[in-house]
Amino acid sequence: MHSDALGDIAMTVGDSKKHQDTRLIHGGSHPEEFDGAVNPPIYRVSTVVSSDVEEMRHRAKHPPGMMAYGRAGTPTHWALQEAIADLEGYKHCLALPSGLSGILISILGLCESGDHVLVADNVYGPIRLVCCDRLSNWGLEAELFDASLGEDIADLIRPNTKMIIVESPGSLTFDMTDIPAISNVAKEKRILVLADNTWATPLLIDAPALGIDISIHSGTKYIGGHSDVAIGTLCLNDDDLHHKLKWTALLFGYGLSPDDAYLALRGLRTLGVRLQRHEKNALVVAKWLQERSEVDRVMYPALPEDPGHNIWKRDFSGANGLFGFMFNASVKQVAADRFIDALSLFLRGFSWGGYESLAMSTSGESIKRPISGWEPTGPTMRLHVGLENTADLIADLEQALTSMADAVAAE
Ligand SMILES: Cc1ncc(COP(=O)(O)O)c(C=O)c1O
């Protein structure tokens, strides 16, 4: 295994001749180093001891393949990092305790006081919140922009613009961003493009080819895949930036538990087959919802009618089980809440990417788009379509819509 002692892996990008499906299974796997164990053992480590002072000094230099301290990484972390970097086609990967920490570390580790950060107004709500409410505490200025700007982002760039943050499709609204149009402008001006690629997973886009400098995933979602782990990953090519980010993570105390690194790697191995089933199920459910009179629009770029479909087709090789829909204007919020309450297979939950189907109401401030001005016509919902049988899922949605109508009629 090739690694430096901060727990990251400075690997050569994996054997590009092998198909993605194959790399998904074998990336980061080194049974020969673990007495033949096909999965890396969980290294529960804080202290690492040395036989003498010379060895201690050697460890302190962080040579490849040697641990220095548990939080700085273990062979369990290195295996996960190697697998993700290989899949995404980047040179470096850092595994972190959450997706959110990956974005924050990137901003705080790479931007300096006085820098300007452009943030798409459709990114994951807490990132928007942190950027707008907290970055000024560190002397940074965050500016939200309309995610559909494309190359017109050039008009917002200032001499001190350091980073552009995007997410496609956007959180809750599922609107597609033309990332290559933005990254072309950014490259010219030497500005970093950071993308939250959680929806795409490492499988559905070629992030380096889209011009993304830093690719973030909340591995809490599809990478873990079983609703039992919180983890984030950050991938990039630049050696210096990588060095800065791994030190930022270490100095800020962002250590990922080896148990969670193990679970994430175990989940990763089946990501391909799970995603195919999620996409297949989601398309069935989304098309069924499109036909319902209560529904104004399904927000899912894999649907040909979706306004972002052409960008999705150009940049993505598939979809997953997460999409939104909006009721038409005649459905009141209280009725939409009844619909959610009446569901029995779709569980009421905030996360997504696990095996199970989930539903939540997305109406409120977080779905509003302060810059683009986009507003839904009626109450909005997010569904995560899990791995259950689609006829059962549709029956659940149907009975919940009936309950919603009955409750409204009884009022
Ligand atoms: C698109 C997206 N990015 C990031 C996150 C944050 O993930 P984590 O909980 O791993 O920090 C989420 C969580 O829902 C998300 O939906």
Side-chain angles (χ1 to χ4, degrees):
M1 187 178 306
H2 322 285
S3 172
D4 70 28
L6 280 181
D8 58 280
I9 192 104
M11 57 170 295
T12 49
V13 174
D15 183 351
S16 55
K17 288 192 208 94
K18 300 256 182 349
H19 191 277
Q20 192 183 50
D21 289 349
T22 306
R23 300 198 334 263
L24 181 62
I25 302 307
H26 295 287
S29 178
H30 297 279
E32 72 285 359
E33 295 182 13
F34 306 118
D35 200 16
V38 72
N39 293 310
I42 300 172
Y43 279 69
R44 285 207 188 94
V45 174
S46 58
T47 307
V48 176
V49 296
S50 300
S51 55
D52 54 26
V53 173
E54 195 186 341
E55 187 184 318
M56 284 186 94
R57 290 201 178 115
H58 187 53
R59 284 188 193 277
K61 288 184 201 146
H62 306 308
M66 272 186 115
M67 289 188 288
Y69 180 55
R71 174 155 51 75
T74 71
T76 321
H77 296 83
W78 303 336
L80 172 67
Q81 291 172 163
E82 185 181 333
I84 300 266
D86 183 25
L87 271 180
E88 288 213 68
Y90 286 97
K91 197 168 167 193
H92 305 288
C93 173
L94 287 176
L96 296 159
S98 66
L100 194 53
S101 66
I103 299 176
L104 280 180
I105 281 174
S106 302
I107 299 171
L108 297 178
L110 302 181
C111 297
E112 289 166 12
S113 173
D115 283 344
H116 173 239
V117 181
L118 283 166
V119 185
D121 75 348
N122 63 351
V123 301
Y124 175 57
I127 285 298
R128 224 164 65 184
L129 200 64
V130 161
C131 287
C132 297
D133 282 8
R134 301 292 170 93
L135 288 194
S136 58
N137 295 347
W138 286 283
L140 298 167
E141 189 185 350
E143 179 182 349
L144 295 180
F145 70 92
D146 176 347
S148 68
L149 267 188
E151 62 187 15
D152 290 342
I153 189 111
D155 297 338
L156 299 181
I157 287 173
R158 305 182 195 165
N160 60 339
T161 305
K162 185 67 169 274
M163 185 180 280
I164 301 175
I165 301 180
V166 294
E167 181 184 323
S168 184
S171 273
L172 310 184
T173 40
F174 299 91
D175 47 330
M176 296 298 297
T177 297
D178 190 344
I179 295 181
I182 289 178
S183 58
N184 284 342
V185 173
K187 287 280 155 311
E188 242 173 61
K189 314 237 175 202
R190 302 173 70 81
I191 294 167
L192 294 168
V193 174
L194 178 152
D196 180 338
N197 289 323
T198 303
W199 195 91
T201 81
L203 297 187
L204 302 180
I205 57 166
D206 182 346
L210 295 181
I212 294 166
D213 299 296
I214 305 173
S215 172
I216 305 286
H217 291 278
S218 165
T220 314
K221 311 295 188 275
Y222 283 114
I223 292 176
H226 294 76
S227 307
D228 55 2
V229 63
I231 183 224
T233 62
L234 176 168
C235 283
L236 74 173
N237 278 328
D238 188 286
D239 295 340
D240 291 340
L241 299 186
H242 169 243
H243 186 74
K244 273 190 187 167
L245 290 178
K246 74 187 181 192
W247 275 103
T248 307
L250 188 61
L251 296 176
F252 282 25
Y254 282 114
L256 170 70
S257 123
D259 296 74
D260 290 346
Y262 180 90
L263 284 174
L265 185 59
R266 190 171 71 169
L268 183 73
R269 300 299 184 203
T270 57
L271 178 63
V273 286
R274 283 186 287 110
L275 270 187
Q276 279 172 18
R277 176 71 173 266
H278 281 292
E279 176 182 22
K280 189 164 162 254
N281 282 5
L283 275 168
V284 172
V285 172
K287 285 179 180 160
W288 182 83
L289 280 169
Q290 278 184 310
E291 299 303 317
R292 294 292 304 200
S293 61
E294 305 90 335
V295 172
D296 184 54
R297 185 159 88 74
V298 178
M299 301 175 283
Y300 187 42
L303 292 171
E305 299 78 15
D306 189 274
H309 185 68
N310 287 341
I311 294 182
W312 173 79
K313 240 168 88 177
R314 184 192 67 189
D315 296 342
F316 285 60
S317 60
N320 63 33
L322 190 76
F323 65 82
F325 71 92
M326 61 180 87
F327 283 113
N328 60 43
S330 68
V331 176
K332 300 284 170 274
Q333 185 62 49
V334 62
D337 292 349
R338 290 264 166 81
F339 163 77
I340 298 255
D341 282 345
L343 290 165
S344 66
L345 284 181
F346 281 87
L347 307 171
R348 287 155 288 277
F350 291 117
S351 194
W352 50 280
Y355 52 87
E356 76 284 20
S357 289
L358 295 168
M360 71 176 215
S361 163
T362 52
S363 296
E365 284 311 303
S366 52
I367 203 168
K368 293 201 175 136
R369 298 294 170 245
I371 307 301
S372 73
W374 179 90
E375 291 262 4
T377 46
T380 49
M381 301 281 144
R382 187 179 76 184
L383 294 184
H384 177 252
V385 180
L387 304 176
E388 300 93 335
N389 175 276
T390 46
D392 290 337
L393 291 176
I394 285 173
D396 191 31
L397 293 169
E398 188 159 31
Q399 65 78 24
L401 287 172
T402 305
S403 292
M404 174 176 102
D406 289 349
V408 171
E411 270 170 12

